[in-house]
RNA sequence: GCCCGGGUGGUGGAAUGGUAGACACUCAGGACUUAAAAUCCUGUGUCCAGCAAUGGACGUGCGGGUUCAAGUCCCGCCCCGGGUACCA
């Protein structure tokens, strides 16, 4: 029998039959579940529904590690629990199978990403299957499957055919917009558009340079098809526009803001630069307010909501226009503190601001252009790293203060971002720290810090308190922020120099990617304009290409496809961009409801029944990406009448990360040096002996880390010196022309595979055969003659060699044990290091339960006797606690409760059906295989999956007597058993009468006696 | 800087204002065994006194407060983890 090797040796050595044979049990039940379709979702019915969903994985080549299933196990437990509770449960799984890694791999190997993806999915599935999840696999979706992305494309088309009506506050079909245009032009159209949208298309519409976007019905009717398209494009919820995008040269694609971390790409860490490109965008800004408001209606972790609020970045303020002296132009600023307008002493524009070239005076032109050019060349990261460094230049131009008429110098400065607000700041150094620092830095060039706050000293810093009272502010004197804010806006609007405005930090989402492995757009071009494919054109699928790289002209990979390779070709050319990774994941939860529908993404009957996801389980890292975009698309589908709800995920729980414990070695760094200090090393560098041939030398932790300065320490170490001397001599002999000696120059940490290390002790033999470069390695051991590795707790990753896969643990302990153990580790939300130390305890629990139901010959033994009150109490305590904990999503404490229950039943030697049967149901969400096995042994033909959840009976917990802890001044001193029927008075009398009481009273009379029935007695002395 | 989490034995953690440390791991001792493993039993927060059963003191990051009673509530700090930022 092959399994013998991995089973506890005892079982075979003693010749006993195996007791808890998890291998046989788990394999058998997996087969039966699949064969009988145990987890096939029920039809739409009168049963209440429950939708529990995991964030679907990207099937990476590395497979699952123990961190992935944490959330899957937790959600599976809830899915199973809800089935026991009589709910119709939808619990699907699928794959987010478009993505960069498969494509990068394709670029390197030429292998089609579909092939790699297929292989990876097979591996994922194999791993998932071993863990006993109750997924309905008949509903699996893959975003890269044309049958799936057909509907992603359809939703794109729907969004293209929509505009945002601000009056109705919802998306509407473009037809209603066209009808308005035909009737009355755009005079009464209140739509979500980019500010100044007309500037971009002014030249192509022949309305002249002063046109500001208004047109009449007559204008509209006289326009050509192309002109109308140009206009409509400005209104669509997804549109093609020249926008400043984050271009990542290394990946050859643009990235969305949420795909960038610290100024570099989230995947790969490549630099990102700002670039203007013609791109598809999604008008998510139209939904900013609703995305913000919707957060109040969903039960999500507060920190995720907060991240989304910050990302949306709503701020209330005013737009104010400052005329430019001597020009028919004005600078528009957005400010959240219009109340401080009398403190404006200069203005700062973004270097990219369009007015800058126009208003810069000839003598300042060179300085301004140099500055703007330097700023434009900088990457995001460079700009960020210079946060503390204030820079800027004067344009020579002046603006006119709209209230005082004073002339205000106009500067440009990097700290003003072109993409936020209007790209211009009215600088109030007295009230804003950044402005204050700018003014102080350029004080010598005439910038001042006029004080506008009574009783405030603005010489050391800005006064940012909103309680501060204004002075030197004309009609605002004596007011503080709140009152002044309202008053000044009223005045600004009255004088028609600006208006109240709510600004959002969030930008529209770029929707094009210059990559191959993504959804192709259902779009073709004619006369340079994009058009949607018609229904009868059929679905466009990914064409074959010769290479997965951009063309020589820098076009996306799809431009490589020969015309015949496209299954649909229309117009001059097809769209060569593909959709971003978040396209397919923004609506997948809807497809699970009706995964095989050929007529629609999902039928209304199905979406009306299943509605929102009741419990969404996943990582917090998608806070500003997936979780925001899915909400956005849900709202569009809702507005357009396709679904009845406008939030996708009613409740969400984030599972914490499981961290890995990595080990590393301390490698001696060796350099060559001259014997004597007479000559400089640089002159003789070429003659130094090469140190590259010295085999690696590793130093045990205690020696390498005894001091903070290991180098000094190492130089004194006799063994290290002996080693280096030996090699110095060898090398000198080998290279007669060279000179010098080898010296230690510190240590370097080298990650080592954790499978080569046991409790930080390195298995030297296996390490040396791990890689060829270590075959000759030498080791400096500690006093116990072993090599101790360093360790660190960090994210599991391939490169750290600290990945723990679930496979080996399932092999060793079984899936039921692993499931319980992962829950037993602690609250799911918390991140924690992976440690298998305790897994034995959980495994022992399952074996103990097995022994409770089986005799020493491993025969199933349950009797039909009536349980005692004590046994019923044990059972019902567990029923109560397990139920309450699952309702509160406290997965970890359920495991302890079940342990206590089994421990106590074992003590009572209770193997009665009326106790064990409910217990098996309690266990089944956690250890479904074992529960099925026992359930069957108990004589049931049907699966335990749908067995009703045990009903808690409070009567079973009732006691005649309670062991009261008696405390004096809050300190518990002794216990007395008292009848639970006693009144509070009777209890206090009993306590006072107790022999021990006198001792703690020390002759004093108690001031007060507090009796909390069935809890505690506290005597106040 | 700002916004979230979190701080409890040697370790993971438990505790709806009411017996702090459940349940496990680890470790130690014992039983069974030729032996080992497995299993079972006992002990295991720290300190003090005692041969002992036991008794006492301290104890949930620190300092205050509310309360008969605080790990839990309030105020002020410290430390750790995560997120985020020239956002006007």
């Amino acid at each position: 029998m092959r399994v013998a090797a991995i089973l506890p040796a005892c079982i075979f050595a003693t010749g006993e039959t195996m007791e808890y044979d998890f291998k046989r049990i788990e394999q058998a039940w997996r087969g039966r579940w699949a064969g009988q379709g145990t987890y096939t979702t029920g039809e739409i019915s009168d049963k209440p529904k429950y939708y529990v969903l995991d964030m679907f994985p990207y099937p990476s080549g590395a497979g699952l590690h123990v961190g992935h299933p944490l959330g899957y196990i937790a959600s599976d437990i809830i899915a199973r629990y809800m089935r026991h509770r009589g709910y119709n449960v939808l619990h699907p799984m699928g794959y987010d199978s478009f993505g960069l890694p498969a494509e990068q791999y394709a670029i390197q190997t030429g292998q089609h990403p579909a092939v790699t993806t297929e292989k990876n999915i097979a591996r994922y599935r194999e791993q998932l299957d071993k863990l006993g999840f109750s997924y309905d696999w008949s509903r699996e979706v893959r975003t890269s499957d044309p049958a799936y992305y057909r509907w992603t494309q359809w939703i794109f088309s729907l969004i293209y055919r929509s505009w945002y009506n601000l009056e109705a506050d919802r998306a509407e079909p473009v037809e209603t917009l066209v009808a308005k245009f035909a009737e009355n032009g755009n005079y009464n159209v209140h739509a979500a558009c980019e500010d100044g949208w007309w500037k971009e298309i002014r030249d192509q519409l022949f309305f002249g340079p002063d046109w500001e976007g208004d047109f009449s019905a007559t204008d509209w009717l006289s326009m050509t098809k192309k002109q109308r398209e140009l206009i409509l494009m400005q209104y669509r919820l997804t549109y093609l526009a020249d926008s400043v995008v984050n271009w990542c040269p290394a990946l050859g694609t643009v990235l969305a803001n949420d795909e960038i971390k610290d100024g570099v790409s989230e995947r790969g860490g490549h630099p990102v630069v700002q670039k203007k490109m013609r791109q598809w965008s999604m008008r998510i800004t139209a939904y900013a307010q609703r995305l913000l408001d919707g957060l109040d209606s969903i039960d999500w972790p507060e920190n995720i909501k907060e991240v989304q609020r910050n990302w949306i970045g709503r701020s209330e303020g005013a737009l104010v226009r400052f005329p430019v002296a001597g020009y028919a132009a004005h600078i528009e600023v957005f400010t959240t503190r219009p109340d401080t307008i009398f403190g404006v002493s200069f203005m700062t524009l973004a270097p990219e601001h369009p007015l800058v070239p126009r208003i810069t005076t000839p003598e300042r032109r060179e300085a301004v252009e140099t500055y703007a050019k330097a700023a434009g060349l900088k990457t995001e990261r460079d700009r960020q790293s210079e946060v503390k460094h204030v820079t800027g230049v004067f344009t020579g131009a002046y603006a006119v203060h709209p209230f005082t008429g004073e002339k205000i110098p106009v500067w440009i400065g990097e700290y003003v971002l072109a993409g936020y607000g209007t790209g211009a700041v009215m600088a109030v150094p007295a009230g804003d720290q950044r402005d204050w620092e700018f003014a102080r830095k350029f004080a010598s060039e005439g910038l001042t810090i006029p004080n506008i706050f009574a009783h405030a000293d603005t010489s050391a810093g800005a006064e940012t308190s909103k309680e501060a009272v204004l002075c030197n502010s004309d009609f605002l004197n004596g007011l503080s922020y709140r009152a002044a804010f309202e008053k000044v806006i009223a005045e600004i609007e009255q004088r028609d120099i600006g208006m109240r405005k709510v600004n959002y930090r969030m930008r529209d989402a770029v929707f094009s990617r210059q990559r191959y492995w993504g959804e192709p757009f259902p779009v073709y071009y004619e006369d340079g304009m994009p058009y949607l494919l018609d229904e009868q054109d059929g679905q466009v699928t990914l064409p074959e290409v010769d290479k997965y790289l951009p063309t020589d002209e820098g076009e996306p990979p799809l431009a490589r496809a020969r015309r015949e390779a496209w299954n649909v070709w229309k117009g001059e050319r097809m769209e060569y961009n593909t959709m971003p990774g978040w396209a397919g994941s923004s609506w997948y939860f809807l497809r699970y409801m009706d995964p095989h529908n050929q007529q629609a993404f999902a039928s209304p009957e199905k979406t009306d029944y299943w509605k929102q996801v009741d419990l969404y389980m996943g990582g917090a890292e998608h806070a500003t990406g997936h979780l925001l975009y899915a909400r956005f698309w849900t709202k569009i589908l809702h507005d357009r009448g396709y679904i009845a709800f406008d939030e996708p995920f009613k409740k969400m729980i984030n599972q914490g990360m499981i961290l890995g414990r990595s080990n590393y070695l301390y490698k001696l760094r060796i350099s060559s040096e001259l014997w004597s200090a007479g000559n400089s090393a640089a002159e003789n560098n070429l003659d130094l002996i090469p140190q590259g041939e010295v085999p690696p030398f590793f130093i045990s932790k205690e020696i390498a880390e005894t001091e903070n300065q290991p180098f000094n320490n190492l130089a004194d170490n006799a063994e290290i010196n002996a080693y280096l001397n030996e090699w110095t001599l060898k090398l000198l002999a080998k290279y007669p022309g060279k000179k010098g000696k080898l010296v230690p120059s510190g240590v370097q940490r080298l990650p080592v595979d954790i499978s080569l290390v046991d409790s930080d002790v390195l298995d030297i033999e296996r390490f040396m055969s791990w890689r060829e470069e270590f075959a000759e390695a030498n080791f400096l051991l500690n006093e116990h003659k072993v090599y101790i590795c360093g360790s660190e707790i960090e994210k599991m990753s391939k490169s750290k060699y600290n990945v723990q896969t679930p496979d080996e643990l399932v092999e060793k302990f079984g899936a039921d044990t692993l499931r319980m153990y992962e829950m037993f580790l602690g609250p799911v939300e918390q991140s924690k290091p992976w440690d298998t130390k305790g897994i034995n305890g959980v495994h022992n629990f399952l074996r103990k339960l097995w022994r409770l139901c089986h005799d020493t010959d491993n025969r199933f033994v349950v009797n039909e006797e009536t349980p005692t009150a004590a046994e019923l109490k044990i059972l019902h305590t567990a029923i109560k606690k397990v139920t309450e904990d699952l309702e509160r999503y406290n997965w970890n404490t359920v495991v302890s409760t079940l342990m206590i229950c089994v421990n106590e039943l074992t003590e009572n030697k209770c193997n009665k059906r009326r106790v064990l049967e409910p217990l098996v149901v309690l266990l089944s969400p956690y250890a479904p295989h074992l529960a099925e096995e026992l359930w069957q042994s108990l004589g049931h033909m049907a699966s335990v999956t749908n067995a009703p959840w045990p009903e808690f009976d409070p009567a079973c917990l009732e006691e005649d007597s309670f062991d009261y802890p008696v405390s004096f001044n809050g300190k518990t001193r002794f216990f007395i058993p008292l009848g639970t029927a006693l009144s509070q008075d009777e209890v206090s009398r009993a306590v006072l009468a107790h022999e021990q009481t006198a001792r703690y009273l020390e002759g004093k009379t108690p001031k007060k006696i507090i009796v909390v029935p069935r809890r505690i007695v506290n005597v106040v002395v």
Side-chain angles (χ1 to χ4, degrees):
Chain A
M1 218 172 137
R2 236 198 103 252
V3 284
I6 52 91
L7 286 168
C10 63
I11 291 154
F12 294 91
T14 55
E16 279 175 37
T17 43
M18 181 156 32
E19 29 178 41
Y20 167 41
D21 183 0
F22 57 86
K23 284 218 127 181
R24 176 188 63 75
I25 295 170
E26 293 185 358
Q27 202 178 359
W29 282 103
R30 276 204 300 276
R32 287 177 69 171
W33 290 334
Q36 297 176 354
T38 308
Y39 303 124
T40 305
T41 315
E43 290 304 308
I44 291 181
S45 68
D46 296 338
K47 265 182 156 183
K49 67 93 190 186
Y50 194 81
Y51 188 179
V52 48
L53 181 64
D54 298 299
M55 284 186 192
F56 63 173
Y58 173 80
S60 84
L64 290 176
H65 62 64
V66 289
H68 293 112
L70 184 71
Y72 302 160
I73 294 166
S75 62
D76 193 61
I77 286 165
I78 297 298
R80 289 175 179 276
Y81 170 67
M82 293 309 271
R83 285 195 197 97
H84 289 303
R85 289 244 96 149
Y87 284 81
N88 193 11
V89 172
L90 178 56
H91 186 43
M93 180 49 94
Y95 306 96
D96 190 10
S97 47
F98 273 134
L100 283 180
E103 186 164 356
Q104 293 295 79
Y105 189 74
I107 291 169
Q108 285 160 24
T109 64
Q111 181 149 188
H112 197 288
V115 177
T116 331
T117 304
E118 184 70 36
K119 220 167 73 194
N120 292 349
I121 286 178
R123 166 102 178 99
Y124 260 67
R125 177 64 189 275
E126 198 190 315
Q127 289 186 296
L128 288 172
D129 276 346
K130 281 195 214 154
L131 291 168
F133 294 126
S134 61
Y135 295 128
D136 177 358
W137 284 106
S138 70
R139 290 172 183 257
E140 177 196 305
V141 301
R142 301 175 182 194
T143 54
S144 61
D145 179 356
Y148 178 89
Y149 73 68
R150 175 186 168 191
W151 297 107
T152 310
Q153 293 169 320
W154 180 87
I155 293 170
F156 167 82
S157 308
L158 177 76
I159 297 171
Y160 179 85
R161 290 182 280 111
S162 302
W163 66 291
Y164 201 87
N165 185 344
L166 292 171
E167 263 171 3
D169 201 19
R170 62 156 191 260
E172 289 185 3
V174 163
E175 288 74 31
T176 65
L177 181 67
V178 171
K180 279 171 185 271
F181 286 169
E183 197 180 313
N184 210 2
N186 67 350
Y187 289 117
N188 285 313
V189 172
H190 299 283
C193 289
E194 192 83 6
D195 288 336
W197 58 270
W198 56 84
K199 289 172 196 157
E200 197 187 324
I201 56 170
R202 191 148 48 188
D203 300 343
Q204 297 175 70
L205 288 171
F206 317 110
F207 281 121
D210 296 327
W211 182 61
E212 292 205 338
D214 298 333
F215 59 85
S216 66
T218 325
D219 293 336
W220 175 255
L221 292 170
S222 64
M223 283 180 207
T224 62
K225 182 186 174 194
K226 183 174 176 179
Q227 287 174 324
R228 288 185 188 179
E229 275 303 320
L230 279 168
I231 299 247
L232 286 175
M233 189 61 92
Q234 307 301 320
Y235 287 84
R236 296 182 189 278
L237 282 183
T238 181
Y239 57 94
L240 195 60
D242 287 322
S243 36
V244 178
V245 295
N246 308 300
W247 173 254
C248 179
L251 292 174
T253 188
V254 304
L255 297 172
N257 288 338
D258 68 271
E259 292 167 316
I260 299 166
K261 290 259 139 69
D262 303 325
V264 295
S265 69
E266 197 177 18
R267 274 195 193 276
H270 307 292
V272 172
V273 294
Q274 302 296 299
K275 192 173 169 184
K276 205 157 198 169
M277 285 178 74
R278 197 149 185 83
Q279 300 286 302
W280 287 101
S281 284
M282 286 273 164
R283 206 179 296 285
I284 192 172
T285 49
Y287 283 87
Q289 191 60 49
R290 283 171 63 191
L291 287 168
L292 199 56
D293 296 340
L295 291 173
D296 297 332
S297 72
I298 49 183
D299 182 7
W300 285 17
E302 204 45 51
N303 61 322
I304 299 277
K305 290 195 193 181
E306 203 55 35
V307 168
Q308 292 210 347
R309 284 190 194 107
N310 291 339
W311 188 263
I312 295 166
R314 180 194 151 104
S315 49
E316 269 179 65
L319 274 182
V320 189
R321 283 188 299 274
F322 286 66
V324 183
Y327 291 89
H330 54 251
I331 295 165
E332 198 167 55
V333 298
F334 171 73
T335 175
T336 55
R337 295 295 301 272
D339 56 308
T340 62
I341 196 162
F342 287 96
V344 176
S345 64
F346 61 99
M347 319 218 41
T348 320
L349 309 187
E352 301 90 343
H353 196 284
L355 268 181
V356 170
R358 226 177 117 195
I359 62 173
T360 302
T361 55
E363 59 273 19
R364 301 295 307 156
R365 186 159 304 272
E366 201 187 328
V368 168
E369 279 174 1
T370 311
Y371 182 84
K373 199 175 164 196
L377 284 177
K378 282 186 188 168
T379 63
E380 276 284 300
R381 174 167 260 194
D382 290 340
R383 278 211 190 189
Q384 275 182 9
S385 62
E386 284 170 35
V387 166
K388 294 280 162 262
H389 188 60
V390 182
T391 64
V393 286
F394 180 42
T395 62
Y398 289 87
V400 180
H401 195 289
F403 286 112
T404 65
E406 261 175 84
K407 282 175 88 183
I408 307 160
V410 178
W411 285 61
I412 61 172
E414 237 178 31
Y415 80 94
V416 182
L417 306 177
Y420 184 79
T422 61
V425 169
M426 61 171 221
V428 184
D432 181 286
Q433 192 57 32
R434 272 177 339 224
D435 295 343
W436 186 90
E437 264 152 40
F438 198 89
R440 194 183 55 170
K441 163 117 191 205
F442 297 111
S444 58
E445 295 182 48
L447 296 188
T448 57
I449 305 176
N451 193 2
I452 47 162
F453 296 105
H455 323 294
D457 175 16
T458 52
S459 62
E463 170 59 63
T464 51
S465 163
K466 287 185 173 175
E467 309 306 319
V469 175
L470 292 161
C471 67
N472 302 328
S473 293
D474 197 346
F475 60 92
L476 299 175
N477 284 341
L479 300 178
S480 63
Y481 167 73
R482 197 65 252 176
F485 183 87
E486 294 302 327
K487 192 164 181 184
V488 76
I489 287 179
E491 190 65 24
I492 286 167
E493 289 186 335
Q494 223 247 299
R495 296 197 189 190
D496 199 25
I497 53 172
M499 61 197 275
R500 179 186 292 273
K501 161 104 178 169
V502 174
N503 194 51
Y504 299 92
R505 187 187 91 112
M506 183 168 65
R507 312 264 42 102
D508 279 347
V510 182
F511 197 68
S512 300
R513 295 292 181 274
Q514 292 68 45
R515 304 291 290 192
Y516 177 77
W517 194 229
E519 298 87 348
F521 283 83
V523 167
Y524 66 96
Y525 286 83
E526 199 148 82
D527 195 12
M529 286 299 293
Y531 293 95
L532 279 188
L533 291 174
D534 290 329
E535 195 72 11
Q536 57 267 34
D537 293 325
Q539 180 195 5
V540 60
T541 53
L542 277 177
E544 292 301 319
V545 292
D546 58 340
K547 270 192 242 167
Y548 304 99
L549 287 169
T551 65
D552 297 336
E553 292 78 41
E555 292 257 43
L558 287 193
R560 289 180 170 273
R562 285 169 299 112
R563 193 173 161 157
E564 313 81 76
W566 289 85
N567 70 331
V568 179
W569 181 279
K570 219 174 164 185
E572 290 152 4
R573 67 171 181 94
M574 301 302 289
E575 171 68 61
Y576 294 145
N577 289 301
T578 51
M579 299 187 196
W582 54 267
S585 60
S586 291
W587 71 281
Y588 77 112
F589 68 99
L590 295 168
R591 189 61 178 173
Y592 285 133
M593 299 175 187
D594 197 4
H596 308 296
N597 194 327
Q598 310 264 315
Q599 268 67 53
F601 66 88
S603 75
E605 298 79 57
K606 299 282 168 81
T607 59
D608 284 348
Y609 177 71
W610 291 110
K611 299 195 183 76
Q612 293 156 293
V613 173
D614 294 286
L615 177 63
Y616 196 34
M617 196 74 169
E621 66 273 21
H622 301 106
T624 52
H626 163 61
L627 289 170
L628 197 60
Y629 297 130
R631 294 182 62 216
F632 166 45
W633 279 29
T634 302
K635 287 183 193 300
I636 295 179
L637 289 170
H638 170 76
D639 285 1
R640 293 298 311 269
Y642 289 94
I643 50 178
F645 44 91
D646 78 339
E647 283 291 346
F649 315 119
K650 204 155 88 186
K651 176 174 180 67
M652 177 166 63
I653 295 179
N654 294 127
Q655 88 262 20
M657 236 189 308
I658 292 209
L659 305 166
R661 188 166 189 280
S662 16
N663 279 114
Y664 47 87
L665 305 183
Y666 300 86
K667 186 183 175 201
L668 180 68
R669 230 180 253 168
I670 303 167
S671 58
S672 306
E673 225 175 53
L674 285 177
W675 285 107
S676 66
N679 314 34
S680 86
E683 285 169 35
N684 297 281
N685 206 24
L686 287 174
D687 294 321
L688 285 173
I689 50 168
Q691 74 274 16
E693 293 176 33
V694 183
F697 189 84
F698 297 101
I699 301 158
S700 186
K701 183 183 174 185
E702 304 93 315
I703 304 157
E705 270 194 353
T706 39
E707 293 289 327
N708 287 334
Q709 295 163 302
F711 176 74
N712 295 334
N713 222 24
L714 298 173
D716 298 338
N717 187 291
E719 279 162 289
I720 294 173
N721 284 327
Y723 182 74
L724 293 179
N725 287 341
E726 182 194 332
W727 274 93
T728 302
L729 295 175
K730 272 191 204 171
L731 291 169
L732 285 173
K734 188 171 173 192
Y735 302 100
K738 313 265 179 183
K739 52 188 168 181
K741 64 166 180 174
L742 298 172
V743 291
S745 65
V747 285
Q748 179 191 356
R749 287 171 164 204
L750 188 92
V752 57
D753 197 304
I754 47 166
S755 67
L756 304 173
V757 181
D758 185 17
S759 314
D760 289 346
V761 177
L762 180 70
D763 184 332
I764 291 177
E765 206 170 298
R766 284 176 59 213
F767 172 75
M768 288 170 76
S769 55
W770 183 37
R771 292 217 216 116
E772 209 179 320
E773 58 192 290
F774 303 135
E776 306 277 306
N778 288 278
F779 301 87
L780 180 52
L781 307 178
N782 71 358
E783 69 264 38
H784 306 294
K785 296 286 164 245
V786 292
Y787 188 97
I788 303 291
C789 304
S791 68
E792 200 159 342
I793 305 289
E794 52 199 341
K795 222 167 148 171
M796 279 195 194
S797 86
K798 239 175 158 176
S799 63
K800 307 263 197 243
Y801 304 107
N802 63 349
V803 174
Q804 293 268 7
T805 70
D807 309 60
E808 42 193 303
L809 292 161
V810 168
E811 182 78 4
K812 214 165 151 190
F813 298 100
D816 284 342
T817 298
L818 182 67
R819 288 169 64 103
M820 292 206 98
Y821 182 58
E822 290 218 10
M823 294 300 100
F824 189 60
L825 280 176
V828 240
E829 300 91 330
Q830 254 166 49
S831 289
K832 53 219 144 205
W834 178 250
D835 192 343
T836 51
K837 258 196 334 224
I839 198 166
N840 269 314
V842 174
H843 190 61
N844 285 344
F845 155 72
L846 292 179
R847 295 172 60 190
K848 202 164 178 180
L849 172 62
W850 181 266
R851 285 199 305 271
L852 189 59
C853 315
H854 294 80
D855 62 16
T856 45
D857 294 327
N858 213 23
R859 278 180 310 228
F860 188 76
V861 277
V862 214
N863 66 49
E864 306 296 331
E865 286 166 31
T866 308
T868 64
E871 288 162 349
L872 285 176
K873 190 184 172 193
I874 295 166
L875 172 69
H876 281 266
T877 305
I879 295 175
K880 180 167 189 275
K881 182 92 166 89
V882 169
T883 310
E884 281 171 359
D885 286 350
L886 284 177
E887 294 285 341
R888 289 186 296 167
Y889 307 102
N890 283 0
W891 285 270
N892 56 327
T893 46
V894 172
V895 183
S896 328
T897 305
L898 292 172
M899 284 175 172
I900 293 168
C901 182
V902 168
N903 286 348
E904 291 182 353
L905 290 177
T906 303
E907 269 169 47
N908 283 265
K909 297 196 166 47
C910 168
N911 56 343
K912 296 171 182 164
R913 171 183 298 277
R914 281 176 53 192
V915 173
L916 291 181
E917 220 165 58
L919 176 62
V920 165
V921 180
L922 293 185
L923 176 80
S924 105
Y926 281 76
H929 308 89
L930 177 57
E932 285 281 26
E933 183 74 12
L934 297 177
W935 190 247
Q936 182 187 250
S937 297
L938 284 160
H940 296 277
M941 297 303 288
S943 164
V944 71
T945 304
N946 297 307
W949 191 252
E951 200 67 43
F952 167 63
D953 181 3
C956 294
L957 298 197
E958 262 168 38
E959 288 274 353
D960 304 338
S961 164
F962 176 77
D963 214 13
Y964 274 94
V966 180
S967 54
F968 292 81
N969 290 337
K971 271 190 203 307
T972 308
R973 295 301 182 176
F974 58 88
F975 296 84
I976 41 176
L978 291 170
T980 48
L982 295 184
S983 71
Q984 296 195 19
D985 249 17
E986 288 168 313
V987 171
S988 16
R989 260 180 279 139
V991 166
L992 286 176
H994 195 268
E995 47 174 335
Q996 289 216 58
T997 301
R999 187 174 148 209
Y1000 293 103
L1001 283 179
E1002 291 166 346
K1004 294 169 202 153
T1005 356
K1007 276 189 201 146
K1008 203 172 171 187
I1009 300 176
I1010 285 126
V1011 177
V1012 184
R1014 288 181 211 208
R1015 277 228 186 257
I1016 202 168
V1017 177
N1018 190 16
V1019 182
V1020 188
V1021 185

